Amino acid sequence: MATWFLGKIRFTKEIDAGKFQTVTEAYLLDAVSFTDAEARLYDLLGDNAPDFRVTSLSPMKVQEVFHVEGPELKWFKVKILITTFDEKAKKEKKSSASFLINADSIKQAYDRVEDALGRVEDYEITDVSLTPILEVVPYDVDNQKMDQLRPLSEAVAAFENDSNPTSKDSPEQPFERVEPAAE
């Protein structure tokens, strides 16, 4: 399950010739920690918004993010109430969940969530609200860095089979494998 962080930045931008305005923007990032979220925010915006600062970073409880391809730039938070039947207690149990979806309007967001979840009777959409989020950044493993990694067994084998042996005068080995003692 993804851990989503809502990051807000503040910077000054020129709106008219000689007029400046302080702007706050919000971004949703999938990250493993606060530090990772902040670093990803700086990587994302470093070149586009010079002289910005991160004003807040907080976890956001979102069960799922639905991204529909298209020109829609607005992000809506949709809350639903899920009804399940507890067999042991013989009672209905209600729990809530939040989803994020891009759409042009509240109605379009409502319809898209309904399409994604299906039209069954076990949930009810209770709230649809516009968020200040400008962009959602899912976690993406940097493939360039992953290409440089290799399994530990390959690295050890390459080290052991190194074609640069120590000089014959030196009795010491460059690497000695120590086996664990049997208990």
Side-chain angles (χ1 to χ4, degrees), residues 2-183:
T3 304
W4 295 99
F5 290 89
L6 182 64
K8 293 184 181 178
I9 64 163
R10 183 171 288 156
F11 62 96
T12 304
K13 103 179 190 184
E14 187 172 356
I15 53 172
D16 289 330
K19 292 186 178 181
F20 293 92
Q21 180 180 12
T22 302
V23 178
T24 300
E25 294 180 348
Y27 296 87
L28 189 69
L29 304 121
D30 182 10
V32 294
S33 66
F34 283 94
T35 305
D36 182 36
E38 185 175 12
R40 294 186 71 222
L41 194 56
Y42 276 102
D43 286 343
L44 177 71
L45 302 171
D47 296 333
N48 298 336
D51 302 334
F52 74 91
R53 64 185 169 102
V54 177
T55 57
S56 75
L57 195 59
S58 60
M60 185 173 182
K61 199 171 191 178
V62 177
Q63 277 66 32
E64 190 74 39
V65 174
F66 298 109
H67 183 272
V68 180
E69 292 296 324
E72 297 86 4
L73 297 176
K74 298 176 188 172
W75 286 92
F76 291 87
K77 185 174 184 179
V78 180
K79 292 182 183 179
I80 66 166
L81 192 62
I82 304 167
T83 305
T84 56
F85 187 75
D86 187 0
E87 296 280 333
K88 292 180 183 177
K90 305 284 187 210
K91 293 182 181 179
E92 284 188 348
K93 179 183 173 186
K94 296 188 181 216
S95 58
S96 64
S98 296
F99 299 108
L100 211 62
I101 191 159
N102 63 323
D104 281 329
S105 66
I106 290 175
K107 180 170 179 12
Q108 188 180 36
Y110 183 95
D111 292 342
R112 284 183 174 179
V113 168
E114 220 174 39
D115 290 342
L117 296 178
R119 296 184 190 272
V120 291
E121 301 296 323
D122 63 344
Y123 74 91
E124 174 186 358
I125 297 175
T126 60
D127 185 33
V128 180
S129 59
L130 180 64
T131 66
I133 298 170
L134 292 179
E135 188 175 346
V136 173
V137 184
Y139 194 82
D140 184 27
V141 177
D142 188 7
N143 291 330
Q144 217 171 19
K145 290 180 183 176
M146 291 302 287
D147 291 342
Q148 296 172 0
L149 300 177
R150 59 185 177 174
L152 182 60
S153 59
E154 288 180 19
V156 169
F159 185 76
E160 289 175 342
N161 297 330
D162 192 6
S163 62
N164 297 330
T166 58
S167 67
K168 294 180 181 177
D169 298 336
S170 173
E172 295 182 30
Q173 294 291 327
F175 177 72
E176 182 178 325
R177 177 174 283 218
V178 178
E179 297 295 325
E183 293 181 25

